[in-house]
Amino acid sequence: MALLLYSFTGTESGEKADAINALRAKHQKKYGEIENHVFYSSETPFADVISLLLNGSLFSPGRFVVFNNAEVLKKKEEVELLSQWAKTEDDTSVLVLCSDENSIDKKIENIVPKENRRVFWEMFQDKKEQWLRSYFMREGYKIESDAVDAILELVENNTAELKRECARFFACFEKGHLITVDDVDQILSHNREESPFTLFDALATNAAPSTRLENALEILQKIRLSKDSNAVSLIAGLTFCFRRLLVWQKLKENGAVSQFDLKIKGFASKKAQDQYSRASRIWNIDDTNRILALLASSDISLRSGGQALEDTLLQMMLYSIVNKRGEEISEYVVD
């Protein structure tokens, strides 16, 4: 079995990225020079990844491969391909199967050595607060408790996103500055970059459907004008959010849920609990499944239709999510 096969799962993407970087550095130290590859299941067939691993490199003695969204690997042929590579006992190549879900398919996971399986759980709120205070302190800044709470309300709850957003403070203030709530409002609230996660949050507010759609379309426009305007990535982000909503809904089907169960499913923070509680009052399980099917079909249409109609397709998709609970639009009504 290939001992350099790993599965890194879970929603805490910051710690996960640190673990991948440490593993890459270790492999590079061993071989001096290595090839680095990062693949996504939506873009690269798993067969191509295994083919790359099975064929030795002509240019470097080592190879490091990260395969994202590994939760989609379930087919018999994918299991067989991974098993085939694992039996080669190749110690020159590392393969890291990554997922934002807390687990991958059991048949895939069973091929990974137990000691190489890690789940990066979302931190509890108090741990996140401690991490944020320590992070500012290491960078030479102080921060008010209310400012910590304000940041955690505004930023997606993983340390990778927190690092990225908090770097703005370091660019705006000199070391030794005390970060206040007003600073958070100025730096993050007024200059917030939109993303699939802020788009989902706008879709899941308590406002009327017309207001939710208006706000969602405005955010969509900002995303499309930004450097991160890739439509496929946008749909992937929304798909992740609605998959989490489905997990939340199935958890709540059985009544009261413990804080431990919420944590292991990725809902440790009060912000996430409030957000998905709101979303579950808008869409039921059937709605969520229809929306996930709509997102999948929209992804296929985007990949096959080119860029000319991307904006129209994305706008129709949001209209369907808000006003038709995921049903595809079959006809247009002109007033």
Side-chain angles (χ1 to χ4, degrees), residues 174-234:
E174 294 183 357
K175 288 184 182 294
H177 180 81
L178 174 65
I179 306 298
T180 65
V181 172
D182 288 340
D183 294 334
V184 175
D185 185 59
Q186 176 188 350
I187 302 301
L188 295 187
S189 297
H190 292 167
N191 299 287
R192 183 179 66 167
E193 290 185 10
E194 303 293 0
S195 69
F197 303 105
T198 62
L199 178 56
F200 176 78
D201 196 50
L203 290 168
T205 61
N206 293 322
S210 58
T211 302
R212 289 194 290 124
L213 180 59
E214 181 181 349
N215 292 338
L217 290 173
E218 184 178 336
I219 291 172
L220 173 63
Q221 184 179 28
K222 290 179 181 178
I223 293 173
R224 297 292 286 161
L225 292 173
S226 73
K227 63 181 183 297
D228 299 319
S229 61
N230 184 281
V232 171
S233 296
L234 188 153

Side-chain angles (χ1 to χ4, degrees), residues 37 45 55 57 106 159 164 184 195-196 207 237 275 293 298 316 333:
H37 302 275
N55 293 292
S57 172
K106 282 295 180 186
T159 54
R164 188 176 73 86
V184 175
S195 69
Q275 184 183 55
S298 298
M316 290 171 60
V333 177

